[in-house]
Coordinates of all heavy atoms in Angstrom, one line a residue:
T67 N -39.1 -122.0 -21.7 CA -40.5 -122.2 -22.0 C -40.7 -123.6 -22.6 O -39.9 -124.1 -23.2 CB -41.1 -121.1 -23.0 OG1 -40.4 -121.2 -24.2 CG2 -41.0 -119.7 -22.4
R68 N -41.9 -124.1 -22.3 CA -42.4 -125.3 -22.9 C -43.7 -124.8 -23.6 O -44.7 -124.6 -22.9 CB -42.8 -126.4 -21.9 CG -43.4 -127.6 -22.6 CD -44.0 -128.7 -21.7 NE -43.8 -128.6 -20.3 CZ -44.7 -128.1 -19.4 NH1 -45.9 -127.7 -19.9 NH2 -44.5 -128.1 -18.2
G69 N -43.6 -124.5 -24.9 CA -44.7 -123.9 -25.6 C -44.9 -122.5 -25.0 O -44.0 -121.7 -24.9
S70 N -46.1 -122.2 -24.4 CA -46.4 -120.9 -23.8 C -46.2 -121.0 -22.3 O -46.4 -120.0 -21.6 CB -47.8 -120.5 -24.1 OG -48.7 -121.4 -23.6
T71 N -45.8 -122.2 -21.7 CA -45.6 -122.3 -20.3 C -44.2 -121.9 -19.9 O -43.2 -122.5 -20.5 CB -45.9 -123.8 -19.8 OG1 -47.2 -124.1 -20.2 CG2 -45.7 -123.9 -18.3
V72 N -44.0 -121.0 -19.0 CA -42.7 -120.6 -18.5 C -42.2 -121.5 -17.4 O -43.0 -121.8 -16.5 CB -42.8 -119.1 -18.1 CG1 -41.4 -118.7 -17.5 CG2 -43.2 -118.2 -19.2
I73 N -41.0 -121.9 -17.5 CA -40.3 -122.7 -16.5 C -39.3 -121.9 -15.8 O -38.3 -121.5 -16.4 CB -39.7 -124.0 -17.2 CG1 -40.8 -124.8 -17.9 CG2 -39.0 -124.8 -16.1 CD1 -40.2 -125.9 -18.7
R74 N -39.5 -121.6 -14.6 CA -38.6 -120.8 -13.8 C -39.0 -120.8 -12.3 O -40.1 -121.3 -12.0 CB -38.5 -119.3 -14.3 CG -39.8 -118.6 -14.2 CD -39.7 -117.2 -14.7 NE -41.0 -116.5 -14.7 CZ -41.3 -115.6 -15.6 NH1 -40.5 -115.2 -16.5 NH2 -42.5 -115.0 -15.5
G75 N -38.2 -120.2 -11.5 CA -38.5 -120.1 -10.1 C -39.7 -119.2 -9.8 O -40.1 -118.3 -10.6
D76 N -40.4 -119.5 -8.8 CA -41.6 -118.7 -8.4 C -41.3 -117.3 -7.9 O -40.5 -117.1 -7.0 CB -42.4 -119.5 -7.3 CG -43.7 -118.8 -7.0 OD1 -44.2 -118.0 -7.8 OD2 -44.3 -119.2 -5.9
S77 N -42.0 -116.3 -8.6 CA -41.8 -115.0 -8.1 C -43.2 -114.3 -7.9 O -43.2 -113.1 -7.8 CB -41.0 -114.2 -9.2 OG -41.7 -114.1 -10.4
E78 N -44.2 -115.1 -7.8 CA -45.5 -114.6 -7.7 C -45.7 -113.7 -6.4 O -45.2 -114.1 -5.3 CB -46.6 -115.7 -7.6 CG -48.0 -115.2 -7.7 CD -49.0 -116.4 -7.8 OE1 -48.6 -117.4 -8.3 OE2 -50.1 -116.2 -7.3
G79 N -46.3 -112.6 -6.5 CA -46.6 -111.7 -5.3 C -45.4 -111.0 -4.8 O -45.4 -110.6 -3.7
S80 N -44.3 -110.8 -5.6 CA -43.1 -110.1 -5.2 C -42.5 -109.3 -6.3 O -42.9 -109.4 -7.5 CB -42.1 -111.1 -4.6 OG -41.5 -111.8 -5.6
S81 N -41.5 -108.6 -6.0 CA -40.8 -107.8 -7.0 C -39.6 -108.6 -7.5 O -38.8 -108.2 -8.4 CB -40.2 -106.5 -6.4 OG -41.2 -105.7 -5.9
R82 N -39.4 -109.8 -7.0 CA -38.3 -110.7 -7.4 C -38.5 -111.2 -8.8 O -39.6 -111.4 -9.2 CB -38.1 -111.8 -6.4 CG -37.8 -111.4 -5.0 CD -37.7 -112.6 -4.0 NE -37.6 -112.1 -2.7 CZ -38.6 -111.9 -1.9 NH1 -39.8 -112.0 -2.3 NH2 -38.3 -111.5 -0.6
L83 N -37.4 -111.6 -9.4 CA -37.5 -112.2 -10.7 C -37.4 -113.7 -10.6 O -36.6 -114.2 -9.8 CB -36.3 -111.7 -11.6 CG -36.2 -110.3 -11.9 CD1 -34.9 -109.9 -12.6 CD2 -37.3 -109.9 -12.9
G84 N -38.3 -114.4 -11.2 CA -38.2 -115.8 -11.3 C -37.3 -116.2 -12.4 O -37.5 -115.8 -13.6
V85 N -36.3 -117.0 -12.1 CA -35.3 -117.4 -13.2 C -35.1 -118.9 -13.0 O -35.4 -119.5 -12.0 CB -34.0 -116.7 -13.0 CG1 -34.2 -115.2 -13.2 CG2 -33.3 -117.0 -11.7
I86 N -34.4 -119.5 -14.0 CA -34.0 -120.9 -13.9 C -32.5 -121.0 -13.7 O -32.0 -122.0 -13.1 CB -34.5 -121.8 -15.1 CG1 -34.4 -123.3 -14.8 CG2 -33.7 -121.4 -16.3 CD1 -35.1 -124.1 -15.8
S87 N -31.8 -120.0 -14.1 CA -30.4 -119.9 -14.0 C -29.9 -118.5 -14.1 O -30.5 -117.7 -14.7 CB -29.7 -120.8 -15.1 OG -28.3 -120.8 -14.9
L88 N -28.7 -118.2 -13.4 CA -28.0 -117.0 -13.5 C -26.7 -117.2 -14.3 O -26.2 -118.3 -14.2 CB -27.7 -116.4 -12.2 CG -28.9 -116.0 -11.3 CD1 -28.4 -115.7 -9.9 CD2 -29.7 -114.9 -11.9
M89 N -26.2 -116.2 -15.0 CA -25.0 -116.3 -15.7 C -23.8 -116.4 -14.7 O -23.7 -115.6 -13.8 CB -24.8 -115.1 -16.6 CG -23.5 -115.1 -17.4 SD -23.5 -116.5 -18.5 CE -23.7 -115.7 -20.0
G90 N -23.0 -117.4 -14.8 CA -21.8 -117.4 -14.1 C -20.8 -116.4 -14.6 O -20.8 -116.1 -15.8
T91 N -20.1 -115.7 -13.7 CA -19.2 -114.7 -14.2 C -17.9 -115.2 -14.8 O -17.4 -116.3 -14.4 CB -18.8 -113.6 -13.1 OG1 -18.3 -114.3 -12.0 CG2 -20.1 -112.9 -12.7
G92 N -17.3 -114.5 -15.8 CA -16.1 -115.0 -16.4 C -14.9 -114.6 -15.6 O -14.8 -114.9 -14.4

Side-chain angles (χ1 to χ4, degrees):
T67 60
R68 177 191 352 101
S70 60
T71 302
V72 178
I73 301 171
R74 64 179 173 210
D76 183 17
S77 62
E78 188 174 334
S80 74
S81 302
R82 296 175 189 90
L83 295 170
V85 301
I86 198 167
S87 181
L88 296 172
M89 181 62 109
T91 56

